[in-house]
Amino acid sequence: MATAIVRSAVSRAVIGVAPRTSVAPKRKFSSSAGHDDAYEAAKWEKITYLGIASCTALATLVLSKGHQHGDDPPAYPYMHIRNKEFPWGPDGLFEVKHNEGH
């Protein structure tokens, strides 16, 4: 075992590879890319308020305009209104009958 350690130390010295240090390299995550979170949050807050204001203005503009109503359809003879009472009476089939004596 001792000869393996000596052999690896000699091979590093000959090749010129520096021995490894005991300190692990610092890991870099995507959140540590140098972005300022407060700046990003403020930016998106401003974009949100601008979007709300523009949608409100557009809706107000569209809804404030009047719209045209179509003309009444012509009175075709086959579209007649039934003027006589139904066979089951004036109240209807499913309405509750109100008896005054009950």
Side-chain angles (χ1 to χ4, degrees):
M1 176 99 165
T3 57
I5 294 173
V6 172
R7 196 178 316 153
S8 67
V10 170
S11 66
R12 279 192 210 140
V14 171
I15 297 173
V17 177
R20 292 186 181 179
T21 60
S22 62
V23 178
K26 185 177 179 183
R27 296 178 66 185
K28 293 186 178 184
F29 296 103
S30 62
S31 65
S32 65
H35 296 290
D36 187 15
D37 291 336
Y39 171 75
E40 290 290 321
K43 177 181 78 171
W44 283 107
E45 184 178 8
K46 290 174 188 174
I47 290 171
T48 301
Y49 289 140
L50 180 66
I52 290 171
S54 62
C55 287
T56 303
L58 182 65
T60 303
L61 177 70
V62 168
L63 295 176
S64 66
K65 294 181 179 178
H67 59 278
Q68 296 178 354
H69 291 275
D71 296 333
D72 289 334
Y76 293 115
Y78 58 85
M79 298 177 77
H80 67 280
I81 296 174
R82 185 178 177 120
N83 291 327
K84 65 179 183 178
E85 289 187 13
F86 292 106
W88 51 82
D91 289 334
L93 269 179
F94 300 105
E95 283 81 19
V96 177
K97 307 289 184 195
H98 296 289
N99 295 333
E100 293 182 19
H102 187 240

